Amino acid sequence: MQNAANEALADIRIEPAGLLLGHSGAELNRASWVHALEQLESTGRSVVPRGMPAEPTCEVLTYRSRSTFGFLLDAAARFLESGTQEDAENTAHEARTVKALTVIPTLRHPREEAPPADATDQERFDHRVTAEGNGFLALRVAELTALRGLRRPARGLLPSVPPSDPMAFVVVWNTVSAPGLLLSGMSAAHTAGEHGAALLQSHLATAAQALIPEELYGEWS
């Protein structure tokens, strides 16, 4: 398990945003940041947050895009930047992929085809997230606000504060899990100011401990 965790966390670094500009004298502006992001992505790496930092000294988290957690980090970062349905659905998909790497197949529980007839709104919504999204579901804000009476600490939401536009999209999850922890870290990276990158790195380290060793996953798959 430790090897899987070490591999997942390999090449994840926290560094000053200004370091990505190429040289110490480079000015941080929209054009230079977009160029830096393009150059970084050409090497197979990306950054969180993707938006331009306020200062060159602001810390960002860089990572390999094609890696255990990189696909989900990239999808979530793009969704938080764009807010589109496509990026929301990609984020939910990549979260389900990480879930598959962190839940022993023989311990997965079969999902009921339909909720009980006497199920509460909360239970019906949870069933929809589980059955339709396998734990992670992209849906419109309007669908979420229609259920505004629902409250449960274990549920997560990306972005953590829903947009005011009822037609905007969010990603919701209904159980505590490694990918849910990672998405919570993504929220922190975008809302916790100078400590955001460090919080995301901490969430990644915790999520990595849940990875199933590859040799065991091969036996159970």
Side-chain angles (χ1 to χ4, degrees):
M1 183 177 297
Q2 196 58 45
N3 287 339
N6 290 341
E7 182 179 347
L9 299 174
D11 293 329
I12 291 177
R13 299 194 291 267
I14 291 180
E15 46 198 327
L19 193 64
L20 304 184
L21 300 180
H23 56 89
S24 58
E27 180 183 357
L28 176 61
N29 53 42
R30 174 57 57 185
S32 66
W33 180 249
V34 170
H35 177 72
L37 185 56
E38 290 174 347
Q39 291 296 107
L40 186 65
E41 290 179 338
S42 72
T43 68
R45 296 181 63 77
S46 195
V47 63
V48 173
R50 291 176 62 85
M52 187 183 77
E55 301 288 343
T57 55
C58 290
E59 291 186 336
V60 295
L61 184 139
T62 62
Y63 60 94
R64 285 188 292 116
S65 301
R66 302 180 66 83
S67 61
T68 304
F69 293 146
F71 292 101
L72 177 52
L73 286 172
D74 190 61
R78 292 179 185 278
F79 169 55
L80 287 171
E81 183 179 45
S82 72
T84 66
Q85 178 178 2
E86 180 180 5
D87 286 336
E89 291 177 346
N90 284 343
T91 299
H93 169 75
E94 296 299 345
R96 290 190 287 269
T97 301
V98 171
K99 177 183 175 182
L101 297 175
T102 55
V103 178
I104 298 173
T106 53
L107 296 183
R108 295 177 191 159
H109 300 292
R111 299 192 295 273
E112 297 179 7
E113 292 299 320
D118 60 348
T120 64
D121 287 345
Q122 175 77 69
E123 291 169 336
R124 290 181 185 280
F125 183 68
D126 283 345
H127 182 272
R128 181 185 172 193
V129 174
T130 300
E132 186 179 331
N134 193 14
F136 296 85
L137 185 65
L139 73 168
R140 293 189 186 276
V141 170
E143 296 177 86
L144 189 68
T145 54
L147 302 163
R148 57 185 175 275
L150 303 184
R151 295 289 186 273
R152 195 173 77 175
R155 175 172 295 113
L157 191 66
L158 189 75
S160 55
V161 178
S164 57
D165 181 1
M167 299 306 289
F169 278 84
V170 294
V171 176
V172 64
W173 58 98
N174 61 359
T175 57
V176 175
S177 64
L181 187 64
L182 191 153
L183 292 178
S184 295
M186 286 296 292
S187 289
H190 286 76
T191 60
E194 60 182 314
H195 304 297
L199 285 171
L200 174 56
Q201 186 180 49
S202 175
H203 282 229
L204 286 164
T206 303
Q209 298 306 312
L211 288 167
I212 302 167
E214 185 175 351
E215 62 272 16
L216 296 181
Y217 189 89
E219 292 177 8
W220 290 327
S221 59

